Amino acid sequence: MKHFYQHHVFFCLNQRANDTRASCANCDAQRMQEYAKKRVRDLGLSGPAQIRINKAGCLDRCEQGPVMVVYPQGIWYTYVDEADIDEIIDSHLVGGKIVERLLI
């Protein structure tokens, strides 16, 4: 099966109305998604047959978050800052090596 994107990355941007559960949006998820999208674009890696960075609603793992998932492999990551996003992009999306320390 041929995939439209080599990697399709979804960032949970969920914001819960109350604080009874964690929300990825409270962990700077939107800024990190925008950072990843810009970095992939700046590297010339965005578009069909390459990498797509998307926003997602709740991925139901916010307690382990912030979270992102990379398809078609279905690899789930957490992250803290731009350095973590850079490592995921450089190691996994470009280099094909999963970043074990950030797996959830």
Side-chain angles (χ1 to χ4, degrees):
M1 169 191 241
K2 185 173 175 157
H3 298 281
F4 191 73
Y5 297 108
Q6 179 182 4
H7 298 290
H8 201 161
V9 182
F10 293 90
F11 280 75
C12 177
L13 302 185
N14 188 51
Q15 177 67 64
R16 288 191 169 77
N18 58 47
D19 290 331
T20 59
R21 287 184 63 199
S23 294
C24 289
N26 292 343
C27 300
D28 215 12
Q30 177 144 352
R31 189 173 69 81
M32 292 295 99
Q33 184 270 340
E34 291 167 358
Y35 174 82
K37 188 170 187 166
K38 182 180 183 320
R39 178 129 192 285
V40 165
R41 189 174 39 244
D42 289 350
L43 291 170
L45 299 173
S46 63
Q50 295 187 79
I51 300 169
R52 171 88 179 176
I53 306 291
N54 273 102
K55 299 174 183 178
C58 186
L59 296 174
D60 204 27
R61 297 184 85 177
C62 293
E63 285 80 9
Q64 296 172 313
V67 299
M68 62 186 278
V69 61
V70 179
Y71 288 110
Q73 303 93 343
I75 304 298
W76 290 78
Y77 288 112
T78 190
Y79 55 86
V80 174
D81 55 21
E82 291 93 343
D84 288 345
I85 299 298
D86 287 342
E87 186 174 359
I88 292 167
I89 291 169
D90 296 341
S91 183
H92 184 161
L93 304 183
V94 175
K97 183 173 188 257
I98 294 171
V99 182
E100 298 284 336
R101 72 179 189 83
L102 297 174
L103 287 176
I104 57 170

mmCIF file with all atom_site columns, all heavy atoms in Angstrom, residues 26-43:
data_model
loop_
_atom_site.group_PDB
_atom_site.id
_atom_site.type_symbol
_atom_site.label_atom_id
_atom_site.label_alt_id
_atom_site.label_comp_id
_atom_site.label_asym_id
_atom_site.label_entity_id
_atom_site.label_seq_id
_atom_site.pdbx_PDB_ins_code
_atom_site.Cartn_x
_atom_site.Cartn_y
_atom_site.Cartn_z
_atom_site.occupancy
_atom_site.B_iso_or_equiv
_atom_site.pdbx_formal_charge
_atom_site.auth_seq_id
_atom_site.auth_comp_id
_atom_site.auth_asym_id
_atom_site.auth_atom_id
_atom_site.pdbx_PDB_model_num
ATOM 1   N N   . ASN A 1 26 ? -2.524 22.820 27.524 1.00 0.00 ? 26 ASN A N   1
ATOM 2   C CA  . ASN A 1 26 ? -1.907 23.481 28.677 1.00 0.00 ? 26 ASN A CA  1
ATOM 3   C C   . ASN A 1 26 ? -0.398 23.273 28.721 1.00 0.00 ? 26 ASN A C   1
ATOM 4   O O   . ASN A 1 26 ? 0.268  23.822 29.597 1.00 0.00 ? 26 ASN A O   1
ATOM 5   C CB  . ASN A 1 26 ? -2.524 22.974 29.981 1.00 0.00 ? 26 ASN A CB  1
ATOM 6   C CG  . ASN A 1 26 ? -3.963 23.413 30.137 1.00 0.00 ? 26 ASN A CG  1
ATOM 7   O OD1 . ASN A 1 26 ? -4.423 24.324 29.463 1.00 0.00 ? 26 ASN A OD1 1
ATOM 8   N ND2 . ASN A 1 26 ? -4.689 22.744 31.009 1.00 0.00 ? 26 ASN A ND2 1
ATOM 9   N N   . CYS A 1 27 ? 0.125  22.480 27.799 1.00 0.00 ? 27 CYS A N   1
ATOM 10  C CA  . CYS A 1 27 ? 1.564  22.168 27.759 1.00 0.00 ? 27 CYS A CA  1
ATOM 11  C C   . CYS A 1 27 ? 2.226  22.763 26.525 1.00 0.00 ? 27 CYS A C   1
ATOM 12  O O   . CYS A 1 27 ? 3.197  22.213 26.011 1.00 0.00 ? 27 CYS A O   1
ATOM 13  C CB  . CYS A 1 27 ? 1.767  20.660 27.790 1.00 0.00 ? 27 CYS A CB  1
ATOM 14  S SG  . CYS A 1 27 ? 1.110  19.861 29.256 1.00 0.00 ? 27 CYS A SG  1
ATOM 15  N N   . ASP A 1 28 ? 1.676  23.863 26.007 1.00 0.00 ? 28 ASP A N   1
ATOM 16  C CA  . ASP A 1 28 ? 2.281  24.575 24.878 1.00 0.00 ? 28 ASP A CA  1
ATOM 17  C C   . ASP A 1 28 ? 2.220  23.773 23.573 1.00 0.00 ? 28 ASP A C   1
ATOM 18  O O   . ASP A 1 28 ? 3.049  23.950 22.681 1.00 0.00 ? 28 ASP A O   1
ATOM 19  C CB  . ASP A 1 28 ? 3.722  24.942 25.217 1.00 0.00 ? 28 ASP A CB  1
ATOM 20  C CG  . ASP A 1 28 ? 4.141  26.270 24.637 1.00 0.00 ? 28 ASP A CG  1
ATOM 21  O OD1 . ASP A 1 28 ? 3.273  27.026 24.160 1.00 0.00 ? 28 ASP A OD1 1
ATOM 22  O OD2 . ASP A 1 28 ? 5.354  26.554 24.649 1.00 0.00 ? 28 ASP A OD2 1
ATOM 23  N N   . ALA A 1 29 ? 1.232  22.898 23.452 1.00 0.00 ? 29 ALA A N   1
ATOM 24  C CA  . ALA A 1 29 ? 1.145  22.009 22.290 1.00 0.00 ? 29 ALA A CA  1
ATOM 25  C C   . ALA A 1 29 ? 0.966  22.771 20.981 1.00 0.00 ? 29 ALA A C   1
ATOM 26  O O   . ALA A 1 29 ? 1.564  22.399 19.965 1.00 0.00 ? 29 ALA A O   1
ATOM 27  C CB  . ALA A 1 29 ? 0.007  21.010 22.478 1.00 0.00 ? 29 ALA A CB  1
ATOM 28  N N   . GLN A 1 30 ? 0.162  23.816 20.980 1.00 0.00 ? 30 GLN A N   1
ATOM 29  C CA  . GLN A 1 30 ? -0.057 24.540 19.726 1.00 0.00 ? 30 GLN A CA  1
ATOM 30  C C   . GLN A 1 30 ? 1.234  25.178 19.223 1.00 0.00 ? 30 GLN A C   1
ATOM 31  O O   . GLN A 1 30 ? 1.561  25.106 18.041 1.00 0.00 ? 30 GLN A O   1
ATOM 32  C CB  . GLN A 1 30 ? -1.136 25.607 19.869 1.00 0.00 ? 30 GLN A CB  1
ATOM 33  C CG  . GLN A 1 30 ? -1.282 26.380 18.574 1.00 0.00 ? 30 GLN A CG  1
ATOM 34  C CD  . GLN A 1 30 ? -2.677 26.799 18.245 1.00 0.00 ? 30 GLN A CD  1
ATOM 35  O OE1 . GLN A 1 30 ? -3.626 26.408 18.905 1.00 0.00 ? 30 GLN A OE1 1
ATOM 36  N NE2 . GLN A 1 30 ? -2.802 27.584 17.212 1.00 0.00 ? 30 GLN A NE2 1
ATOM 37  N N   . ARG A 1 31 ? 1.974  25.788 20.113 1.00 0.00 ? 31 ARG A N   1
ATOM 38  C CA  . ARG A 1 31 ? 3.246  26.412 19.708 1.00 0.00 ? 31 ARG A CA  1
ATOM 39  C C   . ARG A 1 31 ? 4.216  25.361 19.194 1.00 0.00 ? 31 ARG A C   1
ATOM 40  O O   . ARG A 1 31 ? 4.918  25.569 18.200 1.00 0.00 ? 31 ARG A O   1
ATOM 41  C CB  . ARG A 1 31 ? 3.866  27.196 20.867 1.00 0.00 ? 31 ARG A CB  1
ATOM 42  C CG  . ARG A 1 31 ? 5.071  28.031 20.433 1.00 0.00 ? 31 ARG A CG  1
ATOM 43  C CD  . ARG A 1 31 ? 5.572  28.917 21.546 1.00 0.00 ? 31 ARG A CD  1
ATOM 44  N NE  . ARG A 1 31 ? 6.178  28.169 22.626 1.00 0.00 ? 31 ARG A NE  1
ATOM 45  C CZ  . ARG A 1 31 ? 7.437  27.711 22.616 1.00 0.00 ? 31 ARG A CZ  1
ATOM 46  N NH1 . ARG A 1 31 ? 8.213  27.919 21.577 1.00 0.00 ? 31 ARG A NH1 1
ATOM 47  N NH2 . ARG A 1 31 ? 7.910  27.053 23.645 1.00 0.00 ? 31 ARG A NH2 1
ATOM 48  N N   . MET A 1 32 ? 4.253  24.196 19.832 1.00 0.00 ? 32 MET A N   1
ATOM 49  C CA  . MET A 1 32 ? 5.150  23.132 19.383 1.00 0.00 ? 32 MET A CA  1
ATOM 50  C C   . MET A 1 32 ? 4.722  22.573 18.019 1.00 0.00 ? 32 MET A C   1
ATOM 51  O O   . MET A 1 32 ? 5.564  22.278 17.175 1.00 0.00 ? 32 MET A O   1
ATOM 52  C CB  . MET A 1 32 ? 5.211  22.002 20.416 1.00 0.00 ? 32 MET A CB  1
ATOM 53  C CG  . MET A 1 32 ? 5.882  22.381 21.728 1.00 0.00 ? 32 MET A CG  1
ATOM 54  S SD  . MET A 1 32 ? 7.640  22.778 21.563 1.00 0.00 ? 32 MET A SD  1
ATOM 55  C CE  . MET A 1 32 ? 7.568  24.544 21.532 1.00 0.00 ? 32 MET A CE  1
ATOM 56  N N   . GLN A 1 33 ? 3.409  22.476 17.785 1.00 0.00 ? 33 GLN A N   1
ATOM 57  C CA  . GLN A 1 33 ? 2.917  22.019 16.478 1.00 0.00 ? 33 GLN A CA  1
ATOM 58  C C   . GLN A 1 33 ? 3.312  23.020 15.394 1.00 0.00 ? 33 GLN A C   1
ATOM 59  O O   . GLN A 1 33 ? 3.782  22.641 14.320 1.00 0.00 ? 33 GLN A O   1
ATOM 60  C CB  . GLN A 1 33 ? 1.392  21.823 16.525 1.00 0.00 ? 33 GLN A CB  1
ATOM 61  C CG  . GLN A 1 33 ? 0.798  21.260 15.255 1.00 0.00 ? 33 GLN A CG  1
ATOM 62  C CD  . GLN A 1 33 ? 0.363  22.302 14.246 1.00 0.00 ? 33 GLN A CD  1
ATOM 63  O OE1 . GLN A 1 33 ? 0.145  23.464 14.563 1.00 0.00 ? 33 GLN A OE1 1
ATOM 64  N NE2 . GLN A 1 33 ? 0.245  21.880 13.007 1.00 0.00 ? 33 GLN A NE2 1
ATOM 65  N N   . GLU A 1 34 ? 3.135  24.290 15.682 1.00 0.00 ? 34 GLU A N   1
ATOM 66  C CA  . GLU A 1 34 ? 3.502  25.332 14.719 1.00 0.00 ? 34 GLU A CA  1
ATOM 67  C C   . GLU A 1 34 ? 5.008  25.327 14.463 1.00 0.00 ? 34 GLU A C   1
ATOM 68  O O   . GLU A 1 34 ? 5.456  25.509 13.324 1.00 0.00 ? 34 GLU A O   1
ATOM 69  C CB  . GLU A 1 34 ? 3.035  26.698 15.217 1.00 0.00 ? 34 GLU A CB  1
ATOM 70  C CG  . GLU A 1 34 ? 1.525  26.836 15.203 1.00 0.00 ? 34 GLU A CG  1
ATOM 71  C CD  . GLU A 1 34 ? 1.006  28.040 15.965 1.00 0.00 ? 34 GLU A CD  1
ATOM 72  O OE1 . GLU A 1 34 ? 1.817  28.795 16.576 1.00 0.00 ? 34 GLU A OE1 1
ATOM 73  O OE2 . GLU A 1 34 ? -0.229 28.235 15.983 1.00 0.00 ? 34 GLU A OE2 1
ATOM 74  N N   . TYR A 1 35 ? 5.789  25.113 15.518 1.00 0.00 ? 35 TYR A N   1
ATOM 75  C CA  . TYR A 1 35 ? 7.248  25.032 15.378 1.00 0.00 ? 35 TYR A CA  1
ATOM 76  C C   . TYR A 1 35 ? 7.632  23.860 14.476 1.00 0.00 ? 35 TYR A C   1
ATOM 77  O O   . TYR A 1 35 ? 8.449  24.005 13.562 1.00 0.00 ? 35 TYR A O   1
ATOM 78  C CB  . TYR A 1 35 ? 7.901  24.887 16.766 1.00 0.00 ? 35 TYR A CB  1
ATOM 79  C CG  . TYR A 1 35 ? 9.386  24.652 16.688 1.00 0.00 ? 35 TYR A CG  1
ATOM 80  C CD1 . TYR A 1 35 ? 10.258 25.726 16.522 1.00 0.00 ? 35 TYR A CD1 1
ATOM 81  C CD2 . TYR A 1 35 ? 9.914  23.367 16.755 1.00 0.00 ? 35 TYR A CD2 1
ATOM 82  C CE1 . TYR A 1 35 ? 11.629 25.515 16.429 1.00 0.00 ? 35 TYR A CE1 1
ATOM 83  C CE2 . TYR A 1 35 ? 11.277 23.152 16.658 1.00 0.00 ? 35 TYR A CE2 1
ATOM 84  C CZ  . TYR A 1 35 ? 12.131 24.223 16.497 1.00 0.00 ? 35 TYR A CZ  1
ATOM 85  O OH  . TYR A 1 35 ? 13.490 24.016 16.391 1.00 0.00 ? 35 TYR A OH  1
ATOM 86  N N   . ALA A 1 36 ? 7.041  22.685 14.725 1.00 0.00 ? 36 ALA A N   1
ATOM 87  C CA  . ALA A 1 36 ? 7.352  21.494 13.918 1.00 0.00 ? 36 ALA A CA  1
ATOM 88  C C   . ALA A 1 36 ? 6.977  21.716 12.461 1.00 0.00 ? 36 ALA A C   1
ATOM 89  O O   . ALA A 1 36 ? 7.740  21.370 11.549 1.00 0.00 ? 36 ALA A O   1
ATOM 90  C CB  . ALA A 1 36 ? 6.630  20.275 14.480 1.00 0.00 ? 36 ALA A CB  1
ATOM 91  N N   . LYS A 1 37 ? 5.826  22.297 12.232 1.00 0.00 ? 37 LYS A N   1
ATOM 92  C CA  . LYS A 1 37 ? 5.361  22.546 10.860 1.00 0.00 ? 37 LYS A CA  1
ATOM 93  C C   . LYS A 1 37 ? 6.325  23.472 10.125 1.00 0.00 ? 37 LYS A C   1
ATOM 94  O O   . LYS A 1 37 ? 6.703  23.221 8.977  1.00 0.00 ? 37 LYS A O   1
ATOM 95  C CB  . LYS A 1 37 ? 3.950  23.135 10.897 1.00 0.00 ? 37 LYS A CB  1
ATOM 96  C CG  . LYS A 1 37 ? 3.319  23.252 9.541  1.00 0.00 ? 37 LYS A CG  1
ATOM 97  C CD  . LYS A 1 37 ? 1.860  23.616 9.675  1.00 0.00 ? 37 LYS A CD  1
ATOM 98  C CE  . LYS A 1 37 ? 1.197  23.565 8.310  1.00 0.00 ? 37 LYS A CE  1
ATOM 99  N NZ  . LYS A 1 37 ? -0.237 23.580 8.390  1.00 0.00 ? 37 LYS A NZ  1
ATOM 100 N N   . LYS A 1 38 ? 6.737  24.540 10.798 1.00 0.00 ? 38 LYS A N   1
ATOM 101 C CA  . LYS A 1 38 ? 7.678  25.486 10.184 1.00 0.00 ? 38 LYS A CA  1
ATOM 102 C C   . LYS A 1 38 ? 9.036  24.833 9.941  1.00 0.00 ? 38 LYS A C   1
ATOM 103 O O   . LYS A 1 38 ? 9.638  24.998 8.884  1.00 0.00 ? 38 LYS A O   1
ATOM 104 C CB  . LYS A 1 38 ? 7.838  26.721 11.071 1.00 0.00 ? 38 LYS A CB  1
ATOM 105 C CG  . LYS A 1 38 ? 8.770  27.770 10.473 1.00 0.00 ? 38 LYS A CG  1
ATOM 106 C CD  . LYS A 1 38 ? 8.909  28.985 11.366 1.00 0.00 ? 38 LYS A CD  1
ATOM 107 C CE  . LYS A 1 38 ? 9.761  30.076 10.775 1.00 0.00 ? 38 LYS A CE  1
ATOM 108 N NZ  . LYS A 1 38 ? 10.939 29.698 10.063 1.00 0.00 ? 38 LYS A NZ  1
ATOM 109 N N   . ARG A 1 39 ? 9.500  24.063 10.892 1.00 0.00 ? 39 ARG A N   1
ATOM 110 C CA  . ARG A 1 39 ? 10.817 23.431 10.733 1.00 0.00 ? 39 ARG A CA  1
ATOM 111 C C   . ARG A 1 39 ? 10.824 22.445 9.577  1.00 0.00 ? 39 ARG A C   1
ATOM 112 O O   . ARG A 1 39 ? 11.755 22.420 8.778  1.00 0.00 ? 39 ARG A O   1
ATOM 113 C CB  . ARG A 1 39 ? 11.232 22.727 12.028 1.00 0.00 ? 39 ARG A CB  1
ATOM 114 C CG  . ARG A 1 39 ? 12.569 22.022 11.888 1.00 0.00 ? 39 ARG A CG  1
ATOM 115 C CD  . ARG A 1 39 ? 13.531 22.376 12.975 1.00 0.00 ? 39 ARG A CD  1
ATOM 116 N NE  . ARG A 1 39 ? 14.861 21.905 12.634 1.00 0.00 ? 39 ARG A NE  1
ATOM 117 C CZ  . ARG A 1 39 ? 15.257 20.641 12.689 1.00 0.00 ? 39 ARG A CZ  1
ATOM 118 N NH1 . ARG A 1 39 ? 14.433 19.686 13.101 1.00 0.00 ? 39 ARG A NH1 1
ATOM 119 N NH2 . ARG A 1 39 ? 16.492 20.308 12.356 1.00 0.00 ? 39 ARG A NH2 1
ATOM 120 N N   . VAL A 1 40 ? 9.772  21.629 9.465  1.00 0.00 ? 40 VAL A N   1
ATOM 121 C CA  . VAL A 1 40 ? 9.672  20.672 8.361  1.00 0.00 ? 40 VAL A CA  1
ATOM 122 C C   . VAL A 1 40 ? 9.609  21.430 7.029  1.00 0.00 ? 40 VAL A C   1
ATOM 123 O O   . VAL A 1 40 ? 10.268 21.059 6.056  1.00 0.00 ? 40 VAL A O   1
ATOM 124 C CB  . VAL A 1 40 ? 8.459  19.731 8.560  1.00 0.00 ? 40 VAL A CB  1
ATOM 125 C CG1 . VAL A 1 40 ? 8.106  18.993 7.293  1.00 0.00 ? 40 VAL A CG1 1
ATOM 126 C CG2 . VAL A 1 40 ? 8.747  18.751 9.694  1.00 0.00 ? 40 VAL A CG2 1
ATOM 127 N N   . ARG A 1 41 ? 8.840  22.508 7.003  1.00 0.00 ? 41 ARG A N   1
ATOM 128 C CA  . ARG A 1 41 ? 8.750  23.320 5.782  1.00 0.00 ? 41 ARG A CA  1
ATOM 129 C C   . ARG A 1 41 ? 10.104 23.940 5.446  1.00 0.00 ? 41 ARG A C   1
ATOM 130 O O   . ARG A 1 41 ? 10.550 23.921 4.291  1.00 0.00 ? 41 ARG A O   1
ATOM 131 C CB  . ARG A 1 41 ? 7.677  24.394 5.956  1.00 0.00 ? 41 ARG A CB  1
ATOM 132 C CG  . ARG A 1 41 ? 7.360  25.150 4.692  1.00 0.00 ? 41 ARG A CG  1
ATOM 133 C CD  . ARG A 1 41 ? 6.190  26.128 4.819  1.00 0.00 ? 41 ARG A CD  1
ATOM 134 N NE  . ARG A 1 41 ? 6.139  26.847 6.068  1.00 0.00 ? 41 ARG A NE  1
ATOM 135 C CZ  . ARG A 1 41 ? 5.162  26.736 6.976  1.00 0.00 ? 41 ARG A CZ  1
ATOM 136 N NH1 . ARG A 1 41 ? 4.155  25.920 6.776  1.00 0.00 ? 41 ARG A NH1 1
ATOM 137 N NH2 . ARG A 1 41 ? 5.194  27.442 8.084  1.00 0.00 ? 41 ARG A NH2 1
ATOM 138 N N   . ASP A 1 42 ? 10.798 24.489 6.461  1.00 0.00 ? 42 ASP A N   1
ATOM 139 C CA  . ASP A 1 42 ? 12.106 25.111 6.242  1.00 0.00 ? 42 ASP A CA  1
ATOM 140 C C   . ASP A 1 42 ? 13.143 24.108 5.738  1.00 0.00 ? 42 ASP A C   1
ATOM 141 O O   . ASP A 1 42 ? 14.063 24.465 5.006  1.00 0.00 ? 42 ASP A O   1
ATOM 142 C CB  . ASP A 1 42 ? 12.620 25.781 7.518  1.00 0.00 ? 42 ASP A CB  1
ATOM 143 C CG  . ASP A 1 42 ? 11.848 27.048 7.884  1.00 0.00 ? 42 ASP A CG  1
ATOM 144 O OD1 . ASP A 1 42 ? 11.035 27.528 7.054  1.00 0.00 ? 42 ASP A OD1 1
ATOM 145 O OD2 . ASP A 1 42 ? 12.030 27.535 9.018  1.00 0.00 ? 42 ASP A OD2 1
ATOM 146 N N   . LEU A 1 43 ? 12.990 22.843 6.136  1.00 0.00 ? 43 LEU A N   1
ATOM 147 C CA  . LEU A 1 43 ? 13.892 21.791 5.666  1.00 0.00 ? 43 LEU A CA  1
ATOM 148 C C   . LEU A 1 43 ? 13.534 21.298 4.266  1.00 0.00 ? 43 LEU A C   1
ATOM 149 O O   . LEU A 1 43 ? 14.224 20.457 3.707  1.00 0.00 ? 43 LEU A O   1
ATOM 150 C CB  . LEU A 1 43 ? 13.877 20.609 6.646  1.00 0.00 ? 43 LEU A CB  1
ATOM 151 C CG  . LEU A 1 43 ? 14.501 20.852 8.014  1.00 0.00 ? 43 LEU A CG  1
ATOM 152 C CD1 . LEU A 1 43 ? 14.200 19.687 8.958  1.00 0.00 ? 43 LEU A CD1 1
ATOM 153 C CD2 . LEU A 1 43 ? 16.010 21.068 7.884  1.00 0.00 ? 43 LEU A CD2 1
#
